[in-house]
Amino acid sequence: MKRLGMLLLAVVVLGWALPYNVDPVDPTVVTSRPRVNNSNDYDGVIIDSVGNIRAVLGSQGKSIAVSGGGEAIAVLYGEPSGNPNNSMLVKVAYSLNGGSSWTTYGPFSAAARRAYNDIAATPDFDANPGEIFFLFQENTQGYTDGQINVMIEENLPSAPSFSVPIVPTNASAPTIYPWEPSIVVAPDDPTNVVVTAWNYLANGNEWQYVWISNDGGYSWTDSIPVDHVSADGSCAALTAGPGGWLGMTTQEYYTFSGSDSTIYPYFRESTDGGYTWTAKQALTVYPANVASQYWWHEMDIVYFDGDIWMIHNDIGTGGTGGPHVAKGTGSPGSWTWTLWSQDVVGADSFWVADTLFYAAPSQYPTISVDPVSGAVAAVCKYNYYIGDNVTWAIYNGAHLGCMWTMDGGSNWKVSQPLSTANTGTIIWEDWNATEAADLLVPNGAHPYIHAVWVHEDPATEAGELYHETAPLGEFPWGVDEVSTGLVSVYRFSVTPSVTSGICRAAFSMPASGNVALKVFDVSGRLVESVFSGRAAGEQEFNINTSQLANGAYFVVLETEQGNVAQKVITLH
């Protein structure tokens, strides 16, 4: 695949958020409504109407949980309440057939200002009642009061039955009005659950607090202070490992040069189940500059196979800003961090016939893992463009997309669109949000991603909540099978990839056929036709680039089965 960075700048302004308790109502069955798709491997379904993207948006983006086999899926979201001042009612949607049809339950709150929420679940929650936990806020307009609630699924899968929402206690001063809570369950003990929230609202003291349960969420410790998190910083995203290990990532002020400061990623950890925490550590592998802008809703963290994976989005630095993926290897107190920029690694290009397509990552990143294959996917909203970087591709609108690795980050691939576009006319700075489950589901040769996607009308903030599922595959899915075959059969190569004079294009024809070898610039303009005719066997052509301006070019091999391309950079 060919890497091609894109200078994209996303500026999305989100307001605050939050929710109160009523009895659940009878469930409503929502039948499957597949969307029009260009692939036969997708099953996008509308679950329900939502107020806006804050109906699913959480600090770590876990509004969806999926079981290890992929059959059971739960989504926590906010349905419009009809009250313009407190606009959401917290509900749960369940599917027990992989997302083909849905049953909705609730509401479990009174009309609340927002529905920021989080889900924690074990991979076996569909077989073991009490192993999926729903966390949501209840705050009135103005955020002068509020609380967080934990609700437990007690009778899945045949007849979902939810506990009465439980309020973690806060008997100690100061009064806590929590914002943006996060919840996690220990992988080796489903009765050990930890919640965190930031005391930010109503002029709070700006401290992060945690609450701990050792009986499956039914009783909780009093609030435990963690550390001060500066205003305009962020809340926390949590992950858990075995033996009482917890990791927390936040985004806070960071001074990197003189008086210049920016919002920047930090990491803390606990080795005793959340009772005590290390001092915050700035993740200095992330590039910081005056334009950097890391946002509270643009991050995620997951523990997997002894490593920590984090994703943060620098929406202020286009082209090399983010989302950034960081991998921590080592042990508690001694982590070594490796960084990849999704804006660079995840910006891909590929030729389809005579058209060059671009993949462009943007917003709402999450990290997902498959414990069977070892796949790790950095999921976010993607856009797919025609070669001029302006015109929409046939995949019209914003999509769910990702870059993914099967070998711990040594090699990355960029996904095909994992959803259909929300609409044919959405500009890329739209308010659509995507939240992916943290668990990829193995299915044959490909792990499957499950995600929810909110399509919001920016004018009315009304929207619909979609469920999407699709297998990981290389971009672009329109020629995935052909391009994979051509790369191996024709063994097409261009060397060197950086040249000031002559480069060599070589390929092998398994049988006589019509081929053409051409050079295009990044706009898709034909620069040179090197060869056109029939060929067989081993072929080799010299291409003189000495007369070309410095920059990136694509050498394209056109065959009767399809096209493949290699990027060359000229540097005189």
Side-chain angles (χ1 to χ4, degrees):
M1 307 297 281
K2 312 299 170 289
R3 315 299 175 194
L4 197 61
M6 301 187 66
L7 299 177
L8 295 177
L9 178 62
V11 180
V12 178
V13 180
L14 300 181
W16 310 120
L18 293 112
Y20 214 44
N21 287 349
V22 297
D23 294 329
V25 299
D26 292 335
T28 301
V29 176
V30 181
T31 58
S32 174
R33 288 182 278 174
R35 298 163 62 189
V36 176
N37 239 298
N38 291 326
S39 169
N40 59 9
D41 224 343
Y42 300 69
D43 63 346
V45 173
I46 297 176
I47 297 175
D48 204 351
S49 296
V50 293
N52 54 43
I53 62 172
R54 302 169 187 87
V56 299
L57 197 64
S59 60
Q60 67 168 353
K62 293 296 180 287
S63 296
I64 176 173
V66 57
S67 66
E71 293 87 3
I73 307 168
V75 176
L76 184 63
Y77 66 101
E79 182 185 59
S81 70
N83 182 338
N85 294 320
N86 293 285
S87 59
M88 296 187 190
L89 300 166
V90 173
K91 300 185 72 175
V92 174
Y94 261 116
S95 174
L96 299 178
N97 54 15
S100 295
S101 61
W102 293 82
T103 304
T104 60
Y105 298 86
F108 301 102
S109 72
R113 176 62 181 142
R114 294 288 188 241
Y116 292 143
N117 49 56
D118 196 9
I119 290 180
T122 70
D124 300 322
F125 76 84
D126 56 337
N128 299 324
E131 294 190 4
I132 180 169
F133 307 91
F134 304 90
L135 176 67
F136 55 90
Q137 302 173 202
E138 294 190 282
N139 292 70
T140 58
Q141 179 78 14
Y143 308 116
T144 56
D145 59 11
Q147 64 185 31
I148 53 176
N149 301 281
V150 177
M151 190 169 64
I152 305 154
E153 172 51 67
E154 298 177 318
N155 196 29
L156 196 74
S158 58
S161 176
F162 304 91
S163 72
V164 174
I166 300 158
V167 181
T169 60
N170 176 47
S172 305
T175 301
I176 296 177
Y177 294 135
W179 187 51
E180 274 292 313
S182 181
I183 189 169
V184 70
V185 58
D188 53 353
D189 182 1
T191 66
N192 179 214
V193 189
V194 178
V195 164
T196 186
W198 189 27
N199 186 25
Y200 172 64
L201 304 177
N203 297 314
N205 66 351
E206 298 176 357
W207 271 69
Q208 195 77 33
Y209 289 86
V210 299
W211 294 260
I212 302 169
S213 173
N214 291 302
D215 62 0
Y218 289 96
S219 64
W220 295 83
T221 65
D222 195 17
S223 56
I224 300 171
V226 175
D227 198 357
H228 180 260
V229 176
S230 56
D232 296 325
S234 78
C235 310
L238 280 176
T239 191
W245 181 87
L246 292 164
M248 175 189 296
T249 187
T250 56
Q251 291 170 173
E252 306 175 38
Y253 275 119
Y254 173 78
T255 301
F256 60 91
S257 177
S259 61
D260 290 331
S261 63
T262 187
I263 303 300
Y264 195 78
Y266 286 85
F267 173 73
R268 299 171 176 82
E269 63 184 324
S270 172
T271 57
D272 61 4
Y275 290 93
T276 61
W277 293 81
T278 61
K280 64 184 180 183
Q281 171 192 358
L283 295 173
T284 52
V285 290
Y286 286 81
N289 59 70
V290 176
S292 292
Q293 189 177 5
Y294 294 88
W295 277 26
W296 47 267
H297 63 282
E298 300 274 359
M299 62 179 176
D300 192 14
I301 181 172
V302 65
Y303 173 93
F304 175 51
D305 198 25
D307 297 327
I308 310 168
W309 292 85
M310 284 187 284
I311 191 165
H312 295 259
N313 198 13
D314 178 2
I315 65 173
T317 306
T320 58
H324 293 301
V325 177
K327 176 187 177 183
T329 57
S331 59
S334 181
W335 298 101
T336 299
W337 300 98
T338 304
L339 180 73
W340 299 272
S341 172
Q342 199 169 353
D343 256 8
V344 177
V345 179
D348 234 309
S349 63
F350 208 98
W351 286 89
V352 181
D354 291 328
T355 304
L356 182 64
F357 292 95
Y358 292 90
S362 57
Q363 299 170 269
Y364 309 116
T366 57
I367 285 286
S368 302
V369 300
D370 174 18
V372 176
S373 69
V376 177
V379 182
C380 69
K381 188 174 73 176
Y382 262 74
N383 299 283
Y384 295 83
Y385 295 88
I386 291 175
D388 57 11
N389 293 354
V390 176
T391 307
W392 287 109
I394 56 174
Y395 325 118
N396 207 8
H399 294 261
L400 179 70
C402 72
M403 69 181 196
W404 53 289
T405 179
M406 299 286 287
D407 55 13
S410 296
N411 294 281
W412 291 90
K413 298 179 180 180
V414 176
S415 78
Q416 81 282 19
L418 297 172
S419 65
T420 50
N422 292 113
T423 173
T425 57
I426 297 178
I427 58 173
W428 90 269
E429 306 99 322
D430 60 56
W431 277 53
N432 295 328
T434 179
E435 308 290 356
D438 60 346
L439 186 68
L440 301 180
V441 178
N443 190 319
H446 296 280
Y448 272 64
I449 285 179
H450 286 265
V452 287
W453 178 283
V454 175
H455 170 211
E456 176 182 322
D457 183 336
T460 64
E461 291 197 354
E464 291 177 310
L465 178 65
Y466 290 90
H467 168 257
E468 302 277 3
T469 181
L472 289 179
E474 294 185 49
F475 169 72
W477 54 258
V479 294
D480 181 48
E481 294 81 4
V482 174
S483 64
T484 300
L486 286 173
V487 170
S488 60
V489 174
Y490 290 97
R491 298 194 299 273
F492 179 51
S493 65
V494 179
T495 55
S497 59
V498 178
T499 177
S500 60
I502 302 296
C503 63
R504 182 175 65 95
F507 57 92
S508 177
M509 295 285 292
S512 178
N514 293 313
V515 296
L517 190 65
K518 301 177 181 179
V519 180
F520 294 83
D521 64 18
V522 293
S523 71
R525 181 178 63 88
L526 178 64
V527 173
E528 181 180 356
S529 180
V530 180
F531 173 81
S532 180
R534 296 189 67 83
E538 300 290 335
Q539 302 291 324
E540 183 176 310
F541 295 88
N542 288 331
I543 302 173
N544 187 352
T545 65
S546 61
Q547 302 303 313
L548 299 179
N550 287 345
Y553 296 85
F554 289 89
V555 181
V556 179
L557 176 65
E558 299 179 351
T559 78
E560 295 171 350
Q561 287 75 38
N563 305 334
V564 287
Q566 295 283 343
K567 184 169 70 174
V568 172
I569 296 174
T570 59
L571 187 61
H572 304 301

